């Protein structure tokens, strides 16, 4: 099968992603999920002219005069009296400004002026009133369908009474790692074995973006087991994520298992480094991504391909942040036939510094990096101070 470009692979993935429905959840449970409806304000905000200070509500034209205090208005109470000339009402922050008053003077800028009277002692004052509907009007769209919900959005939902927002269903992602050499993290690898880090890394990546990982364990490098595992997971997951076994080695059974499971393979090789062997296939109900066995490739290709796919399934148009920053030192490479993503640090001066990196098995390099540096096809070297594109994690 042909090797395709990064952009083409991404386009194929996005085009074949299907949205998977929505559900109502408790407001707080919508955190980190994708909103599936607009949130519209059922109120003006503020809902009434509101005092921004503890002080006295009065008429600006009375600032030079002693004023009679006619009532006290705590927050949450409706004023009983209109403020007329020579009068004021003691008022608390957040309370309704009474009719007739156009200004609230701070308590710190007043003094007693005889029985039940006060006087303004300042030289000037602001109005200190937050006006009805100055922030939001009834019917304003406050949050939009398709946006990712963060903590600041929860306050908006609370204020607008969106107690049970409609959010996208979280894709269920089956995770499988192939390899006879793999043992689980709690085990000590015998000679020739290594610990399975990919599955755990992928579960963390899936969970961090608000989807549901289902760990299905290690599958041996055997055709029958691989076929059966894929068949089982395709039937019950929105996406099956596999690592390892997708190259051309004698023990790489994943590509054949696609055919026997009637998965239409849309690509199998992408011109990226690391992670050239990356497989994407679809059935009428689900899809499969096969990631390379090396943990750095698996990590990076999740970021590049799996994240946009899962977000699209949830109705979110994901655009990763890319920054343009200067290189901290020179970088060279011998081959430039693939788009390369390198783990890099970002220095305190905001410069891009490649970390020590021994290749795609070197997962420690990713753990100490802050971003991925994008090195374009045809680029053999990057000069110190040259502006480059990086994607922060
Ligand atoms: P493969 O893609 O199966 O040929 O594997 C490529 C390399 O990645 C080999 O060195 C594997 O041992 C290693 N590898 C495969 N699967 C995992 C895994 N789940 N965790 C860590 N390393 C792995
Ligand atoms: Mg393998």
């Amino acid at each position: 099968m042909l090797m395709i470009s990064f952009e083409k692979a991404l386009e194929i993935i996005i085009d074949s992603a299907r949205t998977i429905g929505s559900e109502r959840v408790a407001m707080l449970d919508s955190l980190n999920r994708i909103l599936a409806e607009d949130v519209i304000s059922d109120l003006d905000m503020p809902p009434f002219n509101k005092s921004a200070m503890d002080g006295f509500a009065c008429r600006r034209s009375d600032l030079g005069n002693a004023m009679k205090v006619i009532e006290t208005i705590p927050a949450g109470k409706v004023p009983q009296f209109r403020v007329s000339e020579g009068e004021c009402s003691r008022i608390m922050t957040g309370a309704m400004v009474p009719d007739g008053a156009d200004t609230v003077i701070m308590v710190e800028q007043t003094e007693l002026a005889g029985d039940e009277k006060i006087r303004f002692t300042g030289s000037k004052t602001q109005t200190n009133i937050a006006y009805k509907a100055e922030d939001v009007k009834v019917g304003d769209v406050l949050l939009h369908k398709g946006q990712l919900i963060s903590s600041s959005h929860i306050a908006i939902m609370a204020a607008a009474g969106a107690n049970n927002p409609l959010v996208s269903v979280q894709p269920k992602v089956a995770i499988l790692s192939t390899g006879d050499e793999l043992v689980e993290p709690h085990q000590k690898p015998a000679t020739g074995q290594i610990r399975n880090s990919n599955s755990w890394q992928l579960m963390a990546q899936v969970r961090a973006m608000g989807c549901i990982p289902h760990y299905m364990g290690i599958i041996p490098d055997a055709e029958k087991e691989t076929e059966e595992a894929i068949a089982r997971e395709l039937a019950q997951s929105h996406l099956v994520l596999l690592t390892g076994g997708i190259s051309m080695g004698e023990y790489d059974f994943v590509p054949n298992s696609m055919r026997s499971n009637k998965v239409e393979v849309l690509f199998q090789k992408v011109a990226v480094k690391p992670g050239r062997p990356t497989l994407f296939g679809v059935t009428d109900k689900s899809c499969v991504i096969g990631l390379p066995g090396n943990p750095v490739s698996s990590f990076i290709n999740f970021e590049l391909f799996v994240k946009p796919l899962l977000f699209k399934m949830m109705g979110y148009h994901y655009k990763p942040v890319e920054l343009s920053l200067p290189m901290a030192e020179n970088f060279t490479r011998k081959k430039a036939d693939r788009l390369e993503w390198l783990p890099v640090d970002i220095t305190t001066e905001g410069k891009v510094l490649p970390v020590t990196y021994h290749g795609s098995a070197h997962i420690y390099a990713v753990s100490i990096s802050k971003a991925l540096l994008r090195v374009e096809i045809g680029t053999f070297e990057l000069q110190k101070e040259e502006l480059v594109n990086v994607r922060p994690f």
Side-chain angles (χ1 to χ4, degrees), residues 73 91 93 151 198 277 332 334:
I73 312 168
I91 194 165
T93 304
S151 357
N198 284 343
T332 56
K334 292 197 183 73

Side-chain angles (χ1 to χ4, degrees), residues 28-55:
L28 195 53
D29 293 334
S30 71
L31 185 64
N32 293 331
R33 308 264 312 250
I34 309 299
L35 195 58
E37 65 181 354
D38 290 347
V39 170
I40 293 167
S41 187
D42 66 342
L43 300 169
D44 289 332
M45 295 181 197
F48 45 82
N49 291 341
K50 191 169 79 173
S51 176
M53 294 288 171
D54 292 325

Side-chain angles (χ1 to χ4, degrees), residues 178-179 181 221 244-245 251-252:
T178 71
E181 75 279 31
D221 289 318
Y251 290 88
D252 292 332

Side-chain angles (χ1 to χ4, degrees), residues 109-368:
Q109 293 189 327
T110 60
E111 63 182 14
L112 285 173
D115 214 18
E116 308 273 296
K117 284 190 170 178
I118 59 108
R119 189 198 324 273
F120 180 57
T121 56
S123 52
K124 57 178 193 282
T125 180
Q126 292 179 311
T127 307
N128 295 324
I129 296 173
Y131 291 100
K132 177 177 160 75
E134 75 177 5
D135 300 340
V136 168
K137 290 179 184 47
V138 177
D140 280 357
V141 177
L142 302 178
L143 300 172
H144 295 267
K145 179 178 174 171
Q147 81 177 81
L148 178 61
I149 301 165
S150 61
S151 357
S152 65
H153 302 135
I154 299 290
I156 301 294
M157 290 186 193
N163 212 32
N164 290 101
L166 191 70
V167 295
S168 301
V169 167
Q170 296 167 293
K172 185 174 156 189
V173 184
I175 292 167
L176 302 152
S177 279
T178 71
D180 284 337
E181 75 279 31
L182 302 175
V183 298
E184 292 294 14
H186 69 277
Q187 296 172 301
K188 189 91 180 166
T191 312
Q193 296 183 324
I194 58 164
R195 286 200 176 104
N196 170 19
S197 48
N198 284 343
S199 294
W200 299 90
Q201 173 170 262
L202 287 171
M203 281 190 276
Q205 286 175 295
V206 166
R207 190 185 281 183
M209 59 170 297
C211 302
I212 304 171
H214 273 255
Y215 184 41
M216 307 316 301
I218 296 167
I219 346 176
D221 289 318
E223 189 154 355
K224 190 161 166 284
E225 273 93 338
T226 309
E227 269 177 27
E228 285 174 359
I230 292 172
R232 192 181 60 231
E233 296 323 317
L234 276 173
Q236 52 186 16
S237 319
H238 297 107
L239 168 65
V240 180
L241 264 188
L242 291 144
T243 72
I246 60 164
S247 307
M248 294 297 137
E250 219 166 297
Y251 290 88
D252 292 332
F253 294 107
V254 172
N256 279 343
S257 311
M258 295 295 137
R259 251 152 267 147
S260 53
N261 271 303
K262 302 208 164 48
V263 175
E264 186 191 353
V265 176
L266 300 180
F267 62 78
Q268 205 170 321
K269 256 190 193 176
V270 188
V272 290
K273 187 182 177 190
R276 172 171 28 204
T278 290
L279 179 150
F280 178 59
V282 293
T283 66
D284 49 358
K285 289 198 186 63
S286 187
C287 52
V288 186
I289 293 191
L291 299 168
N294 271 315
V296 177
S297 316
S298 169
F299 178 85
I300 293 179
N301 280 10
F302 182 94
E303 296 299 313
L304 298 182
F305 300 118
V306 184
K307 222 178 205 182
L309 170 68
L310 289 173
F311 273 137
K312 176 81 191 291
M313 286 180 178
M314 294 190 281
Y316 175 56
H317 179 62
Y318 169 65
K319 273 202 79 104
V321 175
E322 275 199 24
L323 303 175
S324 179
L325 296 175
M327 287 294 285
E329 54 184 46
N330 294 336
F331 165 83
T332 56
R333 61 174 181 164
K334 292 197 183 73
K335 288 176 78 181
D337 57 337
R338 287 186 273 163
L339 174 70
E340 185 162 3
W341 296 88
L342 276 176
V344 293
D345 194 10
I346 296 177
T347 66
T348 45
E349 296 85 49
K351 295 188 179 176
V352 177
L353 186 65
V355 299
T356 302
Y357 177 50
H358 305 141
S360 59
H362 191 190
I363 194 64
Y364 180 69
V366 176
S367 77
I368 58 165

